[in-house]
Each structure stands twice: as C-alpha cells, then as structure tokens.
Amino acid sequence: MIRKILVANRGEIARRVFRTCRNLGIATVAVHSDADDRAPFVREADFAVRLPGDAPSETYLRGDLIIAAARLAGADAVHPGYGFLSENADFARAVEEAGLTWIGPTPESIEAMGSKIRAKQIMAEAGVPVLDVDIEAVTHADLPLLVKASAGGGGRGMRVVESLDQLDGELARAEAEALSAFGDGTVFVEPYLPMARHVEVQVLSDTHGTTWIVGDRDCSIQRRHQKVIEEAPAPHLSDTARETLHSAARAAADAVGYRGAGTVEFLVDGDRVLFLEMNTRLQVEHPVTECVTGLDLVAHQIAVAEGRPLTGRPPAPSGHAIEVRLYAEDPADGFAPQTGRIRAFDLGGTAFDIPRAPALRVDSGVEAGSEVGIHYDAMLAKVIAYAVDRPSAIRMLDDALRRGRVHGVTTNTDLLRAALNDEEFIAGRMHTALLDQRIDDWTAGVGERAVRKAALAAAVCEAAQVAASAPVLARIPAAWRNVPSGPRVRTYRRGRTEYAVTYASQGHRLVSDHIENVSVLDARADHVLLQDGGLRETYHVAIGDGVVDVSGPHGAFTLDVVPVFVDPAEAVAQGSLLAPMPATVVAVAVEVGTEVRKGDPVVLLEAMKMQHTIAAPAPGIVAALAVSVGQQVTAGAVLAIIEEKEA
C-alpha cells in the first residue's frame, strides 16, 4: 500500500494528483523551484521540498534532487505527472533503484517508446501502420515534410518543410530547439498530412496481462503542433477507423509490455490510420476521458503501481466532453507568451472533479495573485465541459469562457471562443491545419462595438470613483465643471488599438456620445449600467494602476490607460526592435553594420520553453545591438536598432 506520494512536477498536474491522493487517504509531497515558492500546488501539498533555482534544468529536471527530496520527506512512491521527467527511463529506473514505487510504465517501456524513431520500428514489427521517410533520400515527391524531435513533443523541435532548399535550415533549427527542450537534438522527418485528424487512444494496463482500451479523443485543433482543443469521444469516426485505432493501440501496448496509463496517438485520414507516437504517461487532456467514462485515471495509475488487477471491463463512453487549454499568450501577436501577475481568475465550475452529470470542470495551476513567469509552460488552465451530447458541450464551454474573468495577462480566450463557434468545428470537420486556415478569423477578437462599450464603462466608472472618493464636494456630479468647457477624454489601449472615450456631466448623470445609441444609465465605483438600443447591460469594473479590468455580457477585457503626457525618458529610438515578452537571448544573428532585409532574423529569444525569432520589420542597417547571448531581457526592452539605409 502506497502511503505517501511525491509528485515530481508542478502546477496543474501536481494539484490534479494531490486531489486523488486526498480522496484515497495518501499523503502528498511537492517539490518546487524558487519561482514556484508561493504557487498553489505547493500550499496544497502536505509536505514540500525546495529545489534551489528557477530554470527546469536546475530543478524539475534534476532527478537526483527529486529522489533526495522523496527520501527526506519519507515518500514511498513518485508520480511524474506529464512533461519534465515523466518519460525519462533513467529517472524511472533511479526511482525504483532507490526503493521507491514508480507510478508509471516500466523503464524498458519508456525506453522503447522514448525515441520516436525506435518506436516506429517497434510498431511496424507489431503490424501497426506507420508514417516513414528516409531522411537521406528525400525527394520533391515526399513534400511537404514535418521535422520532429525524436526525444520530445509539445510542438518543440517541430518544423514544416515546404521545399527541399528549406530542409537543411529547418533541420538545424529543430535540432537546436530539441536540444534545448529535451537535452537530445536527434530529429527525423515524416510526411506532413495537414488535412488529417489527430486522434489518440487511452490505454490502461495492469501487471496481470489485462489491457483496457478506455476510449478515444480528437486533438486536431492545434497551433504550432501543440494541442489547443481536445474532446472525447472523437466525433464522426467511421466504425472501421475506430476499430482500427483501438486494435492498433492494443497491439502497441502489448508490443512493449505496457503497465499503467498511456496514450497511443495516430493520424486519421478517412479510414486510414497511421501511428504517430506513444506517450508513456498521463496526457494533459485526460480529463475528457475521465468525464465520459467516470474513471479516475490517476487512481487507476496508483492501483496498478500497487499491483492491483484491472477487473471487469472499462465503462463505455457516455455523453461528450470538450477541453480547451487556456494559455497566457497573445494569438494576434504570433502567440507570443505573456507574463505578469494574475489579478482575477474566475472561470466557475469545480476543480479537478469527475462529474456524474453535465458540469463544468476547471483544472488550473494558478489563482488570483499568481505570477506567470518565463520559465515554464504558458498554460494557465484546462476548462472542460461535460454534457449529454457534443452540441450541448460546445454551448456550455463557450458560455463559460464568455462569463469567465481572467485579468492580468493576455490569454487566448477570444481564439478559443472563435474556434468553438466555427462552422467547421461545430460540424465536426476538424483537421490539424484548421487553425492555420482560420487564424485570421479566429484572432480577429470580439467585435469593435463590444470593446468600445467596455472602454466607455471603464471611463465613466473611473470618473464615478474619483467623484465618490473626493475629500470635499463629494456630492458634485462626476466630471462636473463650474465653467463651460468641452467634454473630458479618456484614452485606453487594447492590443495595438486605442479607444478615446469622451464623456461629460448632464445634471447628475454622466453622458457620452462615444457609441451611437449607447447611453449611460448608472455609473458607480465598481459597476456601470449601459443601455444599447433597448437592451440594458451591466459591466463590472476593477480599476488598477494604469489598467482597468472590465467584465460584461460580451466577455472580459483588460484596457491599458494611455497617459495624457508621456515622459520623454521613456521614449525609444526610431527603428528599435523590442522584446515582446521577458525571455532569454539564445542567439544574435547580426552584428552592428549588418545589412538586413525585411523578415531576416535578428535575435532569437526563448521563453516558456519555446523559441521566438525577432525579425527585421523592414530593410536597413543594424545601427546598434543592446543584447548578447545568455542575457535575460524584460518585456519592452530594446534588443537592436535598425536604421533605414538612407539614414
């Protein structure tokens, strides 16, 4: 019997495992970096051990420190979660050699599937259909190609190659990113089938020879080859494709003597099924399977690790579940990761629950007050809707995102809602290129009128708050002046767009002609009542230092206050390239005096485990470089200055 589990991970997945441990009466141990010192998962554990440092290479990737922490805390088992060391065979072996129970597959199974190149060979020998291209004999007929990291996933080390003259450069970039992310720069290529679906099968095997096929999931909505929306069961699969998927997944598990929970991933093109990889761990998207089956997959992982058999048959899926990954990123700015302190975090629903009836589930690693930094993945939460059927789940999830309040960092909420309302998605016609095809529509954001109303609510609320807090003459109407003058103006910025709101006092009311047919019915210090035509709308407003958070019937908005006067010391030189986020400088591709064309790489940054190329916005000459390799930069820092050739 396992009595105390150390979770060798952080954030949302650590909290998820702790939830099941509490249900089973098992004590919990967290390990944490300095950056995570005040994170929710650390507070929720029964015990916690510090791993000095911030970077994953210093902390969550240090197997020796984690095993030492387990010994210090008296843990008798280790759960790896997903990511970090979860698919590291050497770590699994070290855990077992330390006399601890490894809650996962055998090191030999992890090793067999850890190299995607070796995994394909094993699957081919087991009769599972695979994708394959000889990297030494690539021709135009093989295009397009996908370069992939053999040792990793999550979109890191992946590059699409459209022409043969791109191949060498993309191979080099993929190798560099794979080496940085996984410590192994080995890459391979395979045919790129952008119109295929990404479908995976959940398997669960015990140590007594029983393997359960626990349904399937569709994960086709992806950006940068990283999943964004997942659902179970996978909709609109033919009986032939589903039977092939399940039998191939069983053959894959049997081929490596699998133990515990794992996922076999495939590309599906009509009735054609092709093996992609096997993830020898719990998947990020496991909640959708838990919702439709009622199984606690973490509890089953623990039971298998204790040597218990799987009894009976896995439950058949009931209802439908859809999960979206809420990221701290700006889709309209090339999905640039965002950092900062979360001022408000409220998405409703229950946390880490396995619902027995239609419900909303939210698995998150953050809360109001949490800091989102540069060291780890940009995912804030997984929002899961479980309903009687797919249309109901889509409706429930879209409404939850509309009502949710997440302020402090830019998120991909608008993109998620656009995807859920896309006619192709609603019809179940997903494929892995759909997000790229729809990117302009899905990143257009909410309508202009909705943002303008939010800006109006912010302006009149600020005026009402100032009036209410006035030390004298507090009963004088907001924005009132004792001599005739024009209306006041308050300017806000959302993204790159500015909204100038004009308002004035009329009797004891604030009025504005900012939007046609929209009037202010009431303005208080924390909420505003607007009327748009014949519809009344309530907006809740929170005023911060240079920022205003607005939540209303059209969603949540964060507006930056544009100052009336700009400090000249804060101005930057014309032609400056600025860091879009806090990051580490990985490479500098130019020198002072280098002539660049529009789109030429200038600086390569790394943040949240992804690399970002900062390119020249126009042709010119590099007049100055402000950074060097290895340097940490803050958001808005000047990286380089590019002058036009004539200048």
Side-chain angles (χ1 to χ4, degrees), residues 334-346:
F335 295 96
Q338 306 293 298
T339 60
R341 187 177 68 84
I342 297 176
R343 294 187 295 274
F345 188 85
D346 182 8

Side-chain angles (χ1 to χ4, degrees), residues 147-295:
V147 182
K148 299 177 74 174
S150 180
R156 290 176 288 279
M158 277 192 182
R159 294 288 190 278
V160 175
V161 178
E162 303 282 356
S163 61
L164 290 181
D165 59 0
Q166 295 177 332
L167 182 58
D168 289 343
E170 296 295 0
L171 282 171
R173 280 185 278 274
E175 288 170 354
E177 191 167 81
L179 184 63
S180 172
F182 313 114
D184 183 347
T186 305
V187 299
F188 65 99
V189 296
E190 64 186 21
Y192 181 46
L193 305 176
M195 301 303 288
R197 293 173 63 181
H198 187 131
V199 181
E200 60 191 29
V201 179
Q202 177 72 57
V203 300
L204 190 62
S205 302
D206 63 19
T207 56
H208 304 274
T210 300
T211 293
W212 280 1
I213 301 299
V214 195
D216 42 63
R217 303 183 283 255
D218 187 290
C219 309
S220 300
I221 305 299
Q222 304 177 3
R223 58 98 175 143
R224 293 179 178 172
H225 313 291
Q226 191 166 13
K227 300 163 189 173
V228 177
I229 301 177
E230 303 103 346
E231 56 183 303
H236 306 313
L237 283 180
S238 68
D239 291 341
T240 299
R242 183 164 270 122
E243 289 171 7
T244 303
L245 283 163
H246 291 191
S247 61
R250 186 180 297 277
D254 291 343
V256 294
Y258 201 73
R259 178 187 76 189
T263 299
V264 190
E265 303 196 351
F266 301 90
L267 284 181
V268 177
D269 188 8
D271 289 339
R272 187 183 178 203
V273 173
L274 298 162
F275 173 81
L276 277 175
E277 62 182 339
M278 183 174 188
N279 295 128
T280 53
R281 53 170 169 79
L282 199 65
Q283 288 281 85
V284 176
E285 58 272 20
H286 76 275
V288 293
T289 296
E290 292 186 324
C291 287
V292 299
T293 62
L295 294 177

Side-chain angles (χ1 to χ4, degrees), residues 300-590:
H300 278 77
Q301 283 185 298
I302 295 170
V304 168
E306 290 179 324
R308 301 170 187 264
L310 296 170
T311 57
R313 298 175 59 84
S318 175
H320 201 89
I322 304 178
E323 168 184 298
V324 294
R325 301 190 189 189
L326 186 69
Y327 285 105
E329 64 184 13
D330 186 355
D333 189 20
F335 295 96
Q338 306 293 298
T339 60
R341 187 177 68 84
I342 297 176
R343 294 187 295 274
F345 188 85
D346 182 8
L347 290 162
T350 58
F352 310 104
D353 220 359
I354 300 175
R356 302 187 183 278
L360 186 75
R361 168 177 169 174
V362 179
D363 290 9
S364 73
V366 300
E367 58 188 15
S370 294
E371 289 287 340
V372 179
I374 68 171
H375 300 289
Y376 313 115
D377 189 89
M379 189 174 74
L380 300 177
K382 303 178 306 196
V383 188
I384 308 105
Y386 171 57
V388 294
D389 53 31
R390 188 170 187 267
S392 300
I394 292 174
R395 181 177 64 188
M396 182 189 296
L397 190 50
D398 178 55
D399 186 63
L401 294 174
R402 178 181 69 86
R403 295 177 184 276
R405 295 190 310 121
V406 180
H407 294 297
V409 292
T410 300
T411 71
N412 62 335
T413 300
D414 290 347
L415 178 139
L416 295 174
R417 292 196 62 203
L420 292 172
N421 287 282
D422 186 274
E423 60 183 12
E424 291 294 291
F425 180 82
I426 291 172
R429 294 189 292 265
M430 296 86 67
H431 51 80
T432 56
L434 185 60
L435 189 151
D436 289 336
Q437 292 178 355
R438 291 286 204 270
I439 190 65
D440 290 339
D441 292 337
W442 291 3
T443 56
V446 295
E448 179 79 4
R449 190 175 182 86
V451 185
R452 288 171 64 84
K453 285 192 286 187
L456 172 58
V460 295
C461 186
E462 283 200 276
Q465 187 178 91
V466 169
S469 61
V472 294
L473 305 179
R475 298 178 63 184
I476 298 295
W480 182 85
R481 295 186 179 187
N482 61 356
V483 294
S485 64
R488 293 190 176 186
V489 180
R490 194 69 161 156
T491 304
Y492 301 95
R493 182 185 298 111
R494 185 173 190 257
R496 295 187 175 92
T497 305
E498 292 190 356
Y499 301 88
V501 181
T502 58
Y503 62 94
S505 290
Q506 189 177 82
H508 287 272
R509 293 176 54 240
L510 284 167
V511 297
S512 173
D513 59 0
H514 178 59
I515 316 170
E516 186 178 2
N517 293 329
V518 174
S519 57
V520 181
L521 298 182
D522 189 25
R524 303 295 176 91
D526 60 355
H527 70 275
V528 172
L529 184 62
L530 302 181
Q531 181 162 289
D532 187 350
L535 293 176
R536 292 189 175 190
E537 299 176 349
T538 301
Y539 292 81
H540 298 278
V541 182
I543 301 171
D545 184 12
V547 68
V548 181
D549 297 326
V550 182
S551 300
H554 306 287
F557 305 87
T558 293
L559 303 170
D560 295 317
V561 179
V562 178
V564 178
F565 302 104
V566 178
D567 186 346
E570 297 179 359
V572 297
Q574 185 175 357
S576 296
L577 292 186
L578 307 180
M581 80 292 284
T584 301
V585 178
V586 176
V588 178
V590 297

Side-chain angles (χ1 to χ4, degrees), residues 104-163:
T106 65
E108 292 73 25
S109 294
I110 297 174
E111 232 156 26
M113 294 292 101
S115 164
K116 292 182 174 62
I117 297 173
R118 175 62 181 144
K120 286 191 173 189
Q121 294 170 345
I122 295 173
M123 292 301 104
E125 292 168 3
V128 177
V130 300
L131 279 170
D132 205 10
V133 170
D134 183 355
I135 197 171
E136 302 296 333
V138 173
T139 68
H140 286 283
D142 296 315
L143 298 172
L145 295 170
L146 186 62
V147 182
K148 299 177 74 174
S150 180
R156 290 176 288 279
M158 277 192 182
R159 294 288 190 278
V160 175
V161 178
E162 303 282 356
S163 61

